[in-house]
Every structure is written in structure tokens, then in C-alpha cells.
Amino acid sequence: NNHCSSADAAIVIEQWQQVSSPDAAAQTKLTGGRAVFKKLFEMAPGAKALFTRVNVDNFESPEFNGHIMRVMGGLDVLVNYLEDTATLDSLLAHLASQHAVRAGVTKGAFELMAKVLMGGLPKVVENFNPDAWANCIVPILNGMSAGL
Ligand code: HEM
């Protein structure tokens, strides 16, 4: 099986609400997403060039804010579909094809993203459960980078 257990999924979905509840969502996702990309570019400076179209050089620009929110919105949908693996697979296949067409996007970058998320999420999620999150996040990132 390519997905985390439904027990792990339930924990992750429940804990993710701390980040994505309607009253917290817009700001937590934007600042959290910004922190994720900042860390990603520190660890892999070359990856920054992939995001010139979305104005990465102006990190707080409307264009890069928009990019961050597309990514975080995507992650939000994936997490909320962890227990419906057929739909999750369909979502992942779609995201995989959207990433496969972007020259320079590598599987390594997704592995790095998994590390960055696992390092950052405990800062915004109380009682963060590292096992459940690792079990669920790694297959998601693998699925999204399947075509790379
Ligand atoms: C674009 C999701 C990780 C590279 C996008 C888009 C979404 C998305 C929803 C917009 C697609 C569109 O409108 O065409 C995600 C999620 C990720 C993730 C949920 C992991 C949690 C990554 C990683 C890389 C990457 C690790 C490589 C460093 C890109 C690029 C674009 C993109 C280059 C196109 C930016 C543009 O619009 O010019 N991603 N992504 N993504 N993603 Fe990802």
C-alpha cells in the first residue's frame, strides 16, 4: 500500500486543522508557506530559478503570495483526502503531471520539501505526531513527484 494507514490519516487530518481552520487559515498558510520556501531555497539555492515566473525575487509580492497559496491550498486538499485513497491518487496524478512539465523540478526537491515540512510543522502544530505525519507526508510527496 502506497498510503498511510487510516489511523495515521485521522491523526494528520485532525492536527492539520490547527493550520487550516477557517479563522487561522489565510495567515498561517501564507506565513507558514513562506517559511517553507525560504528554508527550501536556503537548502537548495538553485531551485529558486524555477519560480521566476511567479516573482520569487520579491518574496512578499502578490505573485509569490499567490504561488504560496496555490501550493498550500494543494497541500490542504491532499491532507483532507488522506482517507479517500482513490481520490487522493487522482489528485496526486494531476499534481504530478503539473510538476513533470516544469523543467528543472527534481525528485530530490520533493524529498527536501518533505524534510522542510517535517521540520516546520511541529512549530505550528501542537502535540505534533511525527510518525503519523511522516507516514502520510512521504507518500504524498512521492506521489506528486512520480513522473520526475
Ligand atoms: C506549481 C503544489 C512542491 C515546483 C505548483 C502548483 C501547485 C503546486 C498547486 C500550481 C500549479 C499550476 O497552477 O499550474 C505543490 C505542492 C507541493 C509542491 C502541494 C508539496 C507540498 C513543489 C516542489 C517543487 C515545486 C518541491 C520544486 C522545487 C513547482 C513549480 C511550479 C509549481 C516550478 C510552477 C510555478 C509557476 O506557476 O510558474 N505546485 N508543489 N513544487 N510547483 Fe509545486
Side-chain angles (χ1 to χ4, degrees):
N1 190 323
N2 280 330
H3 299 294
C4 58
S5 68
S6 49
D8 284 339
I11 292 168
V12 167
I13 289 168
E14 208 263 323
Q15 296 204 330
W16 176 251
Q17 306 225 340
Q18 292 177 46
V19 181
S20 68
S21 73
D23 46 331
Q27 201 55 30
T28 314
K29 277 190 189 146
L30 183 58
T31 53
R34 224 177 244 157
V36 165
F37 276 100
K38 187 166 177 279
K39 188 86 189 162
L40 194 72
F41 297 146
E42 274 168 30
M43 294 169 86
K48 213 172 166 186
L50 301 171
F51 302 94
T52 48
R53 194 182 76 121
V54 284
N55 201 4
V56 67
D57 286 327
N58 296 308
F59 212 66
E60 301 191 4
S61 63
E63 295 80 14
F64 201 67
N65 285 348
H67 172 72
I68 288 172
M69 292 310 285
R70 281 190 290 280
V71 172
M72 295 303 280
L75 187 59
D76 184 51
V77 175
L78 295 171
V79 166
N80 283 304
Y81 272 92
L82 279 169
E83 289 181 304
D84 174 353
T85 53
T87 304
L88 179 63
D89 282 339
S90 152
L91 289 161
L92 288 172
H94 190 93
L95 279 164
S97 67
Q98 282 183 321
H99 284 95
V101 295
R102 313 273 183 193
V105 177
T106 61
K107 220 171 167 58
F110 280 85
E111 284 160 16
L112 209 55
M113 183 75 131
K115 282 195 192 129
V116 171
L117 286 170
M118 286 301 294
L121 280 162
K123 295 176 192 160
V124 289
V125 174
E126 280 172 47
N127 299 315
F128 183 75
N129 184 319
D131 292 335
W133 277 91
N135 289 341
C136 294
I137 283 283
V138 171
I140 280 181
L141 289 167
N142 285 343
M144 223 184 312
S145 56
L148 303 176

